[in-house]
Amino acid sequence: MKGIVLAGGTGTRLSPMTLAVSKQLLPIYDKPMIYYPLSALMLAGIREVLVISTPEALPLFERLLGSGADLGMRFAFAEQAVPGGLAEALLIGEAFVAGQPCALVLGDNLFYGAGLSALLKHSVKTLDGCTLFAYRVDDPQRYGVVEIGPEGNVLSLEEKPARPRSPLAVTGLYLYDGNASTLAKTLHPSARGELEITDLNRIYVERGKARVQVLGRGVAWLDTGTPESLLEAAQFVHTLQSRQGMQIACLEEVAYRERFIDAEQLARVSALHGNSVYGSYLSSIVRGD
């Protein structure tokens, strides 16, 4: 399976922070925002990832991530000149995906929790059509909402409904079979002129090929698109890291734990971070502390 990180958009809800820099390059505590969704793909066992962003921001993502070789990964980059909807990512990434199953993740979403890697890998292994990841929220009217049946099948999908049929919000992580790009071509722009991911998901629902994984109490999902949620995410990461002594979304560590790289490679990349807290943490993993 291949991965796509959609890191475009204008980030207007975070203005003026985003006037000169892409939202997904802003820090969540001690790491760039894009590290968090990228780590989710890596935890799913995905090693080939396409990053989609604006023409202005793309060189900065290339500078930040490089080719991916230091992580045992392969990164590719593509432009989304103007915001055209989440489903447009599957059109932009059609050649990259090349008819294979893919995971699409939004560049401002954070996923963390015990058993997350196992859940993601199981979802990849058992994929049959489309898999959505849902999270129980108090204010579902702000999100895409999914209603599910007793077998985990999808009964309905609604975008920001005034009267939600369930408290389950659809998160910014989607797994698709090899038909996703072809199906995305059949979509028509919505009233706001974008190709909506909900419309694509509805096609899978109509075909009986959509399933939902509900992220339980052991998993946290944070959408960092507003100043308040950005602060909450930073506080969440700081609290967990300071109490547990472990990093969240440390790409080099994930690559090492997933055996994308070995200890020698980890030692080499840890040296690139010098005597920073991040570099010292990587060095402690190399030593086996």
Side-chain angles (χ1 to χ4, degrees), residues 162-264:
R163 297 182 178 179
R165 297 183 183 181
S166 93
L168 296 176
V170 179
T171 71
L173 176 62
Y174 316 86
L175 303 185
Y176 295 108
D177 62 14
N179 299 313
S181 294
T182 299
L183 294 176
K185 291 179 181 179
T186 70
L187 301 179
H188 299 287
S190 64
R192 61 177 182 167
E194 298 188 358
L195 300 181
E196 306 291 350
I197 201 72
T198 299
D199 291 339
L200 175 62
N201 294 337
R202 284 198 185 106
I203 296 177
Y204 282 97
V205 172
E206 292 166 359
R207 295 185 174 191
K209 290 291 186 177
R211 295 292 179 269
V212 175
Q213 285 280 5
V214 178
L215 302 177
R217 291 187 177 184
V219 177
W221 167 60
L222 298 171
D223 176 351
T224 58
T226 66
E228 294 80 7
S229 60
L230 188 65
L231 176 60
E232 290 171 0
Q235 292 171 331
F236 174 82
V237 173
H238 171 259
T239 298
L240 283 179
Q241 289 187 172
S242 61
R243 291 185 178 183
Q244 297 181 355
M246 296 184 295
Q247 290 273 336
I248 296 175
C250 175
L251 301 186
E252 294 84 356
E253 180 183 16
V254 175
Y256 177 65
R257 304 294 186 198
E258 292 294 318
R259 300 185 179 181
F260 296 175
I261 60 175
D262 57 24
E264 182 179 345

Side-chain angles (χ1 to χ4, degrees), residues 1-3 46 97-103 124 127 129 175-180:
M1 177 174 281
K2 294 186 177 182
I46 295 171
V97 172
Q100 297 182 40
C102 69
V124 168
L127 177 65
L175 303 185
Y176 295 108
D177 62 14
N179 299 313

Side-chain angles (χ1 to χ4, degrees), residues 279-289:
S280 299
Y281 176 76
L282 291 175
S283 295
S284 72
I285 297 173
V286 174
R287 295 193 303 269
D289 295 353

Side-chain angles (χ1 to χ4, degrees), residues 39 101 119 129 150 154 162 208 241 248 262 271 276:
S39 69
L119 172 64
V154 180
Q241 289 187 172
I248 296 175
D262 57 24
S276 66

